[in-house]
Amino acid sequence: MNPRQFRFALVAILAVVVVGSTLAVTRTPYSFFDPLIEVQSVISRRYVEGPDEQAMQAGAISGMLEALKDPYTVYVPAAETREFTKELTGDYVGIGVQVVQKDGWLTVVAPLEDSPAFRAGVLSDDRIVEIDGKPTLGLASDTCIQMLSGEAGAAVAIVVERDGKRVPFTIVRERVIARTVKGFHRINGGGGGGDGKNSWQYFIDPARRIAYIRLTQFTPTSAEEFKEAMASIGAEKDAVGALILDLRWNPGGVLQDAVQIADLFLGQGVIVSTRGRAKPEETTRATAEGTLPAFPIAVLINGSSASASEILAGAIVENDRGVAVGTRTFGKGLVQAVVSLPSGAGQLKFTEQRYYLPSGRSINRDESSAEWGVDPSGGFYVPMTDEQTTAMLKVRREEDAVRTARAAADEKWSDPEWIVERLKDLQLAAALKAVQGRLASGKWEPTGEALPKGSDLASKDLERASRLRERMEKELVKLEKRIEDLQAAAGEPAKPADLWADADLTGGLVEVRDQSGKVVARLRITGPDVERWLIEADVKKDDGKK
């Protein structure tokens, strides 16, 4: 690739496409490209070996995107666009997880329902630290996704880190075709709210006509699937007393389908607004046509409810159409566009706007956010520990299997206490109890805890961040040991193991002096690790010699 070709490629990469319209190239001053062109020219002509110019180009793109500090903006090379499109449409081969790079690690946003990862027990916020024995720290998310993908029937070995413990999984890849609308279980022979063989059952409390629908993600078919499910239980004919809408572990997807579902419940009001630098603010409002009867709705949410699922939950709650039960959502409020680069080099998925709830509050969470996502309604905060969540998901996987009508007859889905005891699902029990109470009294009576204050949520985040630091410190210790072993093998002097004799210096002072001996800082020692950190710093023992 000569400099002129490289210039064209870079201009093409930075092209801006208005979705649904003609391609328009941003008029960027060529001075921006001059250093890049010069570096490419020098390396191409004079580097000791012939460089891989395709890899250099990909590296230049990656560097520009990394500077944005946005884990959701990614470059998809031409060779990977087919798999990328499959992921967007919910039809692909893999283990079925939505992932993001977080603190340098590949982190699970949510396992997709019915996916191999979900059945294996992979959880939201799990850090995938190894794939087939290869550490993922620092690897690009695209690289990791490629490693997780493969042929149907082929196994992949991963190791996840969860609360400081490493848990291995061997998962067989499958073709994942996301059917996104589900009931609470299936019965061979139909009946009870579904129709046809092995149909999903939607009436969790038939006597009160309380329906339960779980949306696992939003694909281009989700809105139609949802409408079919509601039609099968007579929602349009006022045959539904109340609805529990489960958006837990829903990582989002196609916004338009989430908007269409919200519009079914809302006759008026704002559903969502979007704002960004390059496009005017857009506000999507509900329309009266096609609105379902105003039965009570309880929306189940948790920390794995992200993006489009947060839009749907927020629209229902902030328009006073229902209550949210569970815990605060993930906080991914970014509108992303997918642009095919005119050079044919691939696609660019980038953040173009941010989502805002009907109240005008941003959904997105970043490092400085004190508030994000959608909170459960007051009195409906129902937290669950990792242990409780794992137990609940295990039972759910069993219930998702096809049941016989005889086996199902022994179950008591309409009893919140049975749901807690048998299904281990505290949040579903709270939602069911809430809608039962709403139908009985006409009021929403709290079935959970008061919503924690912002400082309490910050404390929880601080706790998680502290655990992350501890894990990273352990990794540093392992790395230092490896370096010491390599130094010994290479005959190089190792760093000193101690700077002073063992002593507890907590509460003592460290003085820092400049070259003239003037004290520039006095530091109080607050813990036992000061020596360990100084060993790694740019200091050495002072023997009194210059």
Side-chain angles (χ1 to χ4, degrees), residues 454-466:
S455 58
D456 295 332
L457 288 169
S459 296
K460 293 180 184 299
D461 272 358
L462 175 61
E463 181 182 348
R464 284 192 290 267
S466 297

Side-chain angles (χ1 to χ4, degrees), residues 93-304:
V93 173
I95 66 171
V97 287
Q98 188 184 56
V99 293
V100 66
Q101 279 287 353
K102 192 175 180 181
D103 301 318
W105 295 97
L106 189 71
T107 304
V108 177
V109 174
L112 302 181
E113 291 271 4
D114 262 356
S115 68
F118 182 85
R119 294 195 298 270
V122 175
L123 298 178
S124 175
D125 280 334
D126 279 350
R127 295 179 183 277
I128 302 178
V129 296
E130 288 184 15
I131 302 174
D132 283 335
K134 184 173 182 178
T136 63
L137 180 61
L139 290 182
S141 57
D142 289 343
T143 301
C144 295
I145 291 171
Q146 197 170 23
M147 294 165 66
L148 291 172
S149 304
E151 296 293 326
V156 59
I158 66 171
V159 177
V160 307
E161 194 169 86
R162 182 186 302 163
D163 288 333
K165 298 179 180 178
R166 296 203 166 194
V167 184
F169 294 92
T170 299
I171 304 175
V172 177
R173 300 178 180 95
E174 294 179 7
R175 184 184 179 205
V176 179
I177 304 175
R179 291 288 296 177
T180 60
V181 175
K182 302 185 179 183
F184 61 95
H185 73 164
R186 289 176 284 196
I187 296 178
N188 191 340
D195 63 51
K197 187 176 181 181
N198 298 343
S199 61
W200 282 105
Q201 307 303 295
Y202 298 121
F203 280 122
I204 193 169
D205 185 344
R208 298 177 179 88
R209 305 297 287 177
I210 298 174
Y212 169 95
I213 291 184
R214 188 164 79 235
L215 266 165
T216 61
Q217 66 179 121
F218 294 93
T219 68
T221 63
S222 294
E224 286 305 314
E225 287 181 48
F226 190 84
K227 290 175 185 177
E228 289 172 7
M230 296 301 290
S232 74
I233 55 178
E236 297 174 352
K237 302 175 182 178
D238 210 10
V240 174
L243 172 66
I244 298 172
L245 179 58
D246 195 343
L247 299 179
R248 294 175 298 175
W249 294 282
N250 183 321
V254 180
L255 173 64
Q256 189 57 39
D257 280 62
V259 168
Q260 288 181 34
I261 293 170
D263 198 16
L264 291 175
F265 301 125
L266 302 173
Q268 60 181 4
V270 173
I271 295 175
V272 64
S273 60
T274 56
R275 304 174 206 162
R277 181 174 62 90
K279 300 181 74 173
E281 179 175 351
E282 298 177 5
T283 300
T284 302
R285 298 179 179 274
T287 57
E289 184 179 355
T291 304
L292 296 173
F295 43 76
I297 302 174
V299 185
L300 281 167
I301 54 175
N302 66 4
S304 296

Side-chain angles (χ1 to χ4, degrees), residues 32-67:
F32 175 89
F33 304 106
D34 287 344
L36 303 179
I37 295 168
E38 291 163 1
V39 169
Q40 187 269 345
S41 179
V42 171
I43 294 298
S44 295
R45 289 184 292 107
R46 301 182 59 179
Y47 188 64
V48 64
E49 296 175 353
D52 183 338
E53 295 200 341
Q54 189 172 9
M56 287 173 59
Q57 187 183 68
I61 297 169
S62 297
M64 283 189 284
L65 300 187
E66 286 173 11

Side-chain angles (χ1 to χ4, degrees), residues 294-317:
F295 43 76
I297 302 174
V299 185
L300 281 167
I301 54 175
N302 66 4
S304 296
S305 306
S307 193
S309 62
E310 296 175 277
I311 297 299
L312 177 54
I316 291 172
V317 172

